[in-house]
Amino acid sequence: MPVLPSWLTEPLWEQFAALLPMRPKFHPGHPLGCHRRRIGDRAVFDKLLQLLRFGCSYEAIADATCSATTIRSRRDEWIRLGVFAQFKRIALESHDRIVGLVLDRIAADGCITKAPGGGEVAGRSPVDRGKQGLKRSGMTDGYGIPLGRVLAGANRHDSPLLAATLDLLDDLRPLPDDITVHLDAGYDSDKTRALLAERGLDGRIAHKGEKAPVQASDRWHVERTHAWQNAFQRLARCHEHHTTVINAFFDLADTVITVRSLIRRAWTTHRWDNRPNRHP
């Protein structure tokens, strides 16, 4: 069974391939010009999707078509070129152009996941007996499309990460005049309200001590998006040590979520080549 359906992987690969530089099959500096061929980028891309979805080790996913060393080196090469970040940005722009991002309603929240091997942004988890964990302060639009995240140790509180999370809105300009930020009771403080007022944002914050159903708001969109991201096992149980690599996998997962939502929502209103025969 493929890691993702073909109606999703093919458009993902076509756009990803367009961002990669042209490379010869053989290294031009080789004296005989006949050393081992360069592993195809498509094979490495498919392996990265498998790593993202299943969360296994590089050695476990490697086979005769692609070694673990090749996966790591090609991954690092693409990170240096900024391919993953550009990939996510194009997906957001496409979603905004075709369907539209709901930027007048923003939701932000933190999510703690396991980080058994530690790493640059890991910390003691207060919900897992002090084991190493990773926190992401995520932000979504009013539908749940992931707009970005800030990584920190699991011991960090959500509230101090809000400013850095809201800074990600600068990459999405122009923005609506009136933006409402939906937050849970962990952000219920005068400092948070002052932060929102300073940025010209309206806040709808749950109050501490009141039951959630009574004050339900649109922040459930970000909670659903956290669940979508945790379906990718490499994010739910992070073994990567470097922040750049973790962000690259998050960018790849966010792109999958965005394009999947775009295809599903545009299926009833648009026509295009290779459109799925049935509603995905």
Side-chain angles (χ1 to χ4, degrees):
M1 179 181 293
V3 62
L4 293 173
S6 60
W7 57 263
L8 182 55
T9 55
E10 293 307 317
L12 285 171
W13 165 245
E14 289 178 8
Q15 181 57 67
F16 194 86
L19 300 176
L20 300 179
M22 296 295 296
R23 296 292 175 85
K25 294 182 178 179
F26 298 103
H27 195 287
H30 194 274
L32 301 178
C34 59
H35 67 303
R36 184 180 299 175
R37 289 176 179 267
R38 174 183 169 92
I39 300 297
D41 290 329
R42 177 61 190 269
V44 181
F45 180 75
D46 288 341
K47 292 297 183 185
L48 286 176
L49 287 179
Q50 294 173 28
L51 285 168
L52 177 66
R53 180 65 181 86
F54 301 132
C56 54
S57 66
Y58 291 89
E59 286 73 18
I61 207 67
D63 54 23
T65 64
C66 187
S67 68
T69 301
T70 299
I71 299 173
R72 290 192 183 95
S73 61
R74 200 73 58 88
R75 175 207 67 191
D76 294 340
E77 175 187 338
W78 292 342
I79 290 175
R80 288 193 301 271
L81 294 173
V83 175
F84 293 102
Q86 191 175 1
F87 193 37
K88 177 179 180 292
R89 179 181 58 80
I90 292 175
L92 280 176
E93 291 176 352
S94 301
H95 194 285
D96 190 26
R97 183 177 65 254
I98 298 173
V99 178
L101 293 173
V102 187
L103 295 178
D104 59 339
R105 288 181 284 120
I106 300 295
D109 196 10
C111 179
I112 295 177
T113 55
K114 293 179 179 292
E120 295 176 348
V121 289
R124 290 174 56 85
S125 175
V127 297
D128 194 17
R129 295 170 294 171
K131 296 180 180 179
Q132 291 294 293
L134 174 70
K135 170 170 284 189
R136 62 178 182 268
S137 176
M139 180 174 60
T140 69
D141 77 337
Y143 181 77
I145 301 301
L147 303 178
R149 96 294 310 173
V150 173
L151 301 179
N155 55 323
R156 295 287 303 279
H157 194 272
D158 292 347
S159 183
L161 301 176
L162 181 61
T165 305
L166 293 176
D167 287 341
L168 300 174
L169 288 174
D170 294 336
D171 298 332
L172 302 172
R173 296 185 182 277
L175 297 170
D177 294 333
D178 297 323
I179 301 178
T180 302
V181 182
H182 296 262
L183 303 168
D184 64 14
Y187 300 89
D188 185 16
S189 67
D190 293 338
K191 184 176 181 180
T192 299
R193 293 182 176 86
L195 173 66
L196 295 177
E198 179 184 345
R199 296 168 181 256
L201 303 174
D202 297 326
R204 186 172 181 185
I205 308 174
H207 297 290
K208 296 178 181 177
E210 296 183 14
K211 294 183 178 180
V214 178
Q215 50 181 335
S217 66
D218 287 341
R219 70 177 185 275
W220 68 269
H221 290 292
V222 68
E223 295 167 359
R224 180 181 64 176
T225 301
H226 283 318
W228 285 343
Q229 292 171 332
N230 287 338
F232 298 99
Q233 295 302 310
R234 197 156 205 86
L235 306 183
R237 191 178 181 87
C238 182
H239 291 271
E240 302 290 352
H241 288 164
H242 300 294
T243 308
T244 55
V245 177
I246 301 173
N247 273 318
F249 276 112
F250 266 106
D251 285 340
L252 184 57
D254 289 351
T255 304
V256 172
I257 293 171
T258 303
V259 174
R260 181 178 61 193
S261 175
L262 172 59
I263 293 176
R264 287 174 173 172
R265 297 175 68 185
W267 190 88
T268 56
T269 58
H270 293 72
R271 297 291 184 270
W272 65 90
D273 295 338
N274 301 322
R275 175 176 175 268
N277 294 327
R278 301 179 61 184
H279 196 295

